[in-house]
Every structure is written in C-alpha cells, then in structure tokens.
Amino acid sequence: MNKILVTGGCGYIGTHTMVDLIENGFDVISIDNFSRSNPKMLERVEKITGKQIKNYAIDLCNFDACRSVFLENTDIKGIIHFAAFKAVNESVENPLLYFQNNLFSLINLLKCVEEFATPYFVFSSSCTVYGSPDESPVSESSPIKPGESPYGITKQMGEEIVSEFSKANSTKCVSLRYFNPVGAHPSSLIGELPIGKPQNLFPAITQTAIGKISKLTVHGNDYDTRDGSCIRDYIHVCDIAHAHTLSINYLEAEKEKSNFSVFNLGTGVGVSVLEAIETFEKVNKVKLNYEIGPKRPGDIMAIYASNELAKSELGWSLKYSLADMVSSSWKWEQKLKEEFDSSIK
Ligand code: WQD
C-alpha cells in the first residue's frame, strides 16, 4: 500500500518527482491533461525508471472525472498536487482563468481526499507567497505579504484551503514552498519545457546560448544589491523532487505536531542574475550574448530561503550545486536541439 497519486505528473517538477518516488520504492500514478505539459515526458520517466506509469488525462476541474480516478484506485496512500497554471504574467492578464483552474481543481481534489480518506496530501506552493520580503533569508514564519499576482494569490489561498481542510479531516498535509527550481535530470531525458518565449531566467539563458533567442536581456542592474541585479535562490529540480518523497515519509512517520506543516525548499544561498550568467559561462565554457535592459515590473529585488526546517524535519540535504544547475540545464537544452534537428531530417 504505497501508491502515490501525482497530479501534474508530466510537468517539470512532476516528472522529476515521479522518478524520485519510484526510485525510492513507491508505486506512482499520474493525472495530467497535457494542457501545459508534453505526453512524451511520461515515456521518458518510464525510460529512466523502467516502470510503466498509468496517467489519467482528465481535467481536475471536472469533479466526476477526478472522482473516477479515486474509484479506480481505492489504495491511494498519498497525493502530491502539482497540477496548476504557474505563469505570473499570464495570471495578471487572465486572473479568472487562474482562480478557476488553480482553486477549482484543488477543491475537487480535496473533496475526493475527504470522501476516500486519503492519508497524506502534499501541496505545491511557492516562495511567491512571501511577496517582497523585508529581508532574506525568509523562514516559514516570515510574514506573508499581499499577493503580487493572481498566480501568487492562488498559492496563498491554496495553502489556506489545505490548512483549514487539514483541521477538519484526518488527512495529514504538507505545503512545500519552492524558491526557483532550475536544472534537469542527469540523464537529460527530462527537463523544463517552457511554452513559448521563456519568462524564467534559466531557460532564457540556455535558449540564448543555443541560439533560439538572439540576445538575453538582464532586467535591471541598478538594484540595491551587490552587483545591481536581482537575487534569487536557485535550486536544482532534483533536490526539489527528493523533498517530496521525504515529505511522504515525514507524514507517514507521523512526526508532525499538527495536521499541516509548511517547508521552504531553497538552498539558502542568494545568487544574482549576473552571477548566474557568469557561472553558466564558466562551467559550460560558452559566451552568452546579453545586454542590460530596464527593470521588469513586478520583480522583487532579493529573496532567498532559510531551509533549516526542511533539513531538520524532513531530513533533507542538498545534493546539487549551482554548477550542476547550469550544466544540467545546458545539457538538456542541447539535447532538445539534437532531437529537434533529427526530427526535421
Ligand atoms: C529571476 C530573475 C528576472 C528572465 C518566477 C515566479 C515564481 C516561480 C519562479 C512558480 C529576475 C531575471 C529573467 C530574463 C532576466 N514560479 N530575468 N532576464 O521571477 O524569481 O520567479 O518563477 O512558482 O512564482 O514569479 O523567476 O526566472 O522569471 O526571474 O533578467 O530573460 O531573473 O528579472 O530578477 P522569478 P525568473
């Protein structure tokens, strides 16, 4: 009885987490309607793990479809809920799409968790819940500021919904606040697949280096930071993935004091945009074509995590360095180009 349901299982963090769960002895099923992911990624997870994975291509906003998965799998021990839209600027342009999709899907899922008494529930949250912090590192007890975007508000509301649900039910819940997930699995078989022009720094760097983007724009170098560019806590997606496996183990061990725990998933080290670029160039021995442009509206100057709680409570330790992040993301980008080039031959 160690079946874990991963929603959004074919997405960036979902695929890496399914690999980690399987490598740690869990059976895994997935729900993913491929609205923001690629079905090919499921085959890649199967190739890495050697295991067949059942995916239910249903929309979690359809309660009956969501419930049908539970009727077919009455032995689900835990759920890791990734499925949500996560593009900040899209959420600003289309707030109702984000509130409907991210919140209706969560509520439908929790209604099934309640009906089928699923023991454990892990919610995918984000450092975006902190808004623009007064200082860094931010800990789990740092103030939650007003949401900076509809996307961020859905994460804040999502955490509240899970917290209140856990008080009224026996299901034990964890919320994981990711800082900036980057990099790719060492096999280069799975990685980030941005839709359209990448908004995030790492895919923008690798697509510039590979020539898909002619020049990277650094959004501002006159912030009040050590080199003027924004500071973030970049963390390898495989370290993020393993924290999810450890969260299930943590809930199973019934170590938590309450039914709801929150953990930051960051390295605890702030890295600036210019430092990330410099590390990418040095490690990969490539020169990146970039220019300094205006600040990006909505960007916060600096945020990085205190990760002591995840380390002490989950027994989590970091395996990957910034060099691993920039080299694995570059290898992944090169693999994507190889496959694209061979597909058009
Ligand atoms: C990082 C830094 C940019 C692109 C977002 C979401 C957050 C989470 C992670 C989901 C910033 C700079 C970027 C570029 C640049 N997503 N940058 N040139 O904004 O910290 O977080 O993604 O959970 O919720 O808000 O990440 O990678 O977009 O930006 O200079 O072409 O890189 O200005 O300073 P961000 P990011």
Side-chain angles (χ1 to χ4, degrees), residues 38-53:
N38 186 319
K40 261 177 77 175
M41 290 301 116
L42 194 61
E43 296 154 27
R44 300 292 180 82
V45 173
E46 292 177 336
K47 189 171 177 185
I48 294 169
T49 60
K51 292 269 185 180
Q52 286 283 316
I53 300 168

Side-chain angles (χ1 to χ4, degrees), residues 4-9 11-17 31 60 78-87 98 101-103 105-107 109-110 120-130 150-163 172-181 235 237 240-241 243-245 247-248 251 260-265:
I4 305 293
L5 165 60
V6 179
T7 75
Y12 176 39
I13 306 175
T15 47
H16 288 82
T17 300
I31 288 179
L60 285 168
I79 295 172
I80 302 179
H81 179 44
F82 293 110
F85 294 160
K86 62 146 210 134
Y98 271 66
N101 182 70
N102 290 6
L103 299 179
S105 53
L106 172 62
I107 291 165
L109 200 53
L110 290 176
Y120 313 126
F121 187 84
V122 178
F123 178 66
S124 166
S125 188
S126 163
C127 62
T128 204
V129 303
Y130 295 113
Y151 161 73
I153 293 168
T154 66
K155 287 303 177 186
Q156 291 176 336
M157 292 174 75
E159 285 197 357
E160 291 300 319
I161 291 167
V162 173
S163 171
K172 298 187 175 308
C173 304
V174 154
S175 180
L176 299 176
R177 294 174 180 166
Y178 316 146
F179 281 67
N180 288 56
I235 175 162
V237 64
I240 293 264
H244 289 76
T245 302
S247 294
I248 296 289
L251 291 171
F260 180 66
S261 312
V262 176
F263 298 106
N264 283 342
L265 297 185

Side-chain angles (χ1 to χ4, degrees), residues 199-242:
Q199 298 301 310
N200 294 144
L201 180 63
F202 268 60
I205 287 175
T206 58
Q207 288 197 13
T208 303
I210 205 102
K212 279 177 83 171
I213 297 173
S214 56
K215 187 183 286 186
L216 174 82
T217 302
V218 171
H219 298 315
N221 72 341
D222 53 355
Y223 285 96
D224 183 18
T225 61
R226 51 183 179 266
D227 64 12
S229 65
C230 288
I231 290 176
R232 295 289 184 272
D233 186 332
Y234 300 102
I235 175 162
H236 198 289
V237 64
C238 290
D239 278 328
I240 293 264
H242 191 54

Side-chain angles (χ1 to χ4, degrees), residues 62-93:
N62 175 331
F63 176 70
D64 291 336
C66 179
R67 187 168 178 271
S68 67
V69 176
F70 286 77
L71 287 172
E72 198 177 307
N73 298 274
T74 53
D75 56 348
I76 293 172
K77 170 158 81 171
I79 295 172
I80 302 179
H81 179 44
F82 293 110
F85 294 160
K86 62 146 210 134
V88 170
N89 42 9
E90 181 187 35
S91 79
V92 172
E93 285 149 26

Side-chain angles (χ1 to χ4, degrees), residues 8-34:
C10 299
Y12 176 39
I13 306 175
T15 47
H16 288 82
T17 300
M18 290 209 293
V19 168
D20 196 90
L21 286 165
I22 291 167
E23 286 176 349
N24 283 278
F26 289 96
D27 293 329
V28 169
I29 57 171
S30 163
I31 288 179
D32 199 311
N33 65 357
F34 307 122

Side-chain angles (χ1 to χ4, degrees), residues 300-317:
I300 54 178
M301 181 174 75
I303 184 168
Y304 52 93
S306 158
N307 60 10
E308 293 316 311
L309 203 57
K311 284 181 173 175
S312 60
E313 293 298 301
L314 299 181
W316 184 56
S317 56

